[in-house]
Amino acid sequence: METKNIIVEKSLTFGVEIVRFSELLEGAKKYVVAKQILRCGTSIGANIFEAQHAESRSDFVHKMKISVKEANETLFWLSICERSENYPVSSSLKEMCGELIRIISKIIISSKGSMKGRLLLSFIALSAVFFKIRMVLTGV
């Protein structure tokens, strides 16, 4: 049985809702904002999907950072709609986007933490090897 990846599922759900909202904007002839929201709002999930098959931990973090940037841009465009006259507004999309930002940010922080831990362990192991080499060379 395959376990669901919460951030993948939430970003996919959000992407579908963004498509619907973009269509609503287009129906109101707000084409420029519709296109902007569609691009950045769906890019969040696309980058999260890509991160699931990253080449390395740093590649994973990089892709997740792009996702959080896209989420912040989406939040910006949703705020523009909220402050503009005659634009559709969706407070639920803003809430969903805020939740994605919080989750992605936590993933980035914990991934970076584990990278630092691995780097420290590598440094310790390398130091031990150099210490042994030094002992052999000095005859101690």
Side-chain angles (χ1 to χ4, degrees), residues 33-138:
V33 175
K35 186 181 258 187
Q36 290 294 111
I37 284 179
L38 182 64
R39 284 184 179 172
C40 58
T42 55
S43 179
I44 300 165
N47 281 290
I48 289 170
F49 264 59
E50 235 184 281
Q52 304 312 301
H53 302 285
E55 296 174 9
S56 64
R57 179 136 339 237
S58 69
D59 185 37
F60 173 82
V61 169
H62 176 71
K63 285 174 174 42
M64 295 303 280
K65 281 182 176 181
I66 293 170
S67 289
V68 82
K69 283 182 173 186
E70 295 293 339
N72 279 305
E73 183 180 344
T74 303
L75 200 54
F76 171 80
W77 288 110
L78 290 169
S79 296
I80 290 290
C81 289
E82 190 175 68
R83 292 180 181 200
S84 299
E85 289 183 34
N86 304 316
Y87 272 71
V89 176
S90 178
S91 57
S92 64
L93 277 177
K94 282 185 76 174
E95 289 172 22
M96 289 172 75
C97 193
E99 182 182 17
L100 285 172
I101 290 169
R102 287 187 297 277
I103 294 169
I104 297 166
S105 296
K106 286 180 183 177
I107 291 169
I108 291 168
I109 289 167
S110 65
S111 295
K112 279 182 164 182
S114 66
M115 284 171 53
K116 288 178 184 174
R118 288 180 185 197
L119 186 60
L120 181 61
L121 288 175
S122 296
F123 178 74
I124 292 169
L126 191 57
S127 296
V129 169
F130 282 131
F131 181 74
K132 287 180 183 178
I133 290 171
R134 188 174 139 216
M135 287 177 59
V136 168
L137 291 175
T138 59

Side-chain angles (χ1 to χ4, degrees), residues 10-50:
K10 284 186 179 289
S11 66
L12 187 56
T13 299
F14 182 75
V16 170
E17 292 301 317
I18 282 293
V19 169
R20 289 185 182 134
F21 187 69
S22 179
E23 289 171 349
L24 185 65
L25 285 166
E26 285 181 357
K29 298 183 181 207
K30 309 300 184 191
Y31 302 113
V32 174
V33 175
K35 186 181 258 187
Q36 290 294 111
I37 284 179
L38 182 64
R39 284 184 179 172
C40 58
T42 55
S43 179
I44 300 165
N47 281 290
I48 289 170
F49 264 59
E50 235 184 281

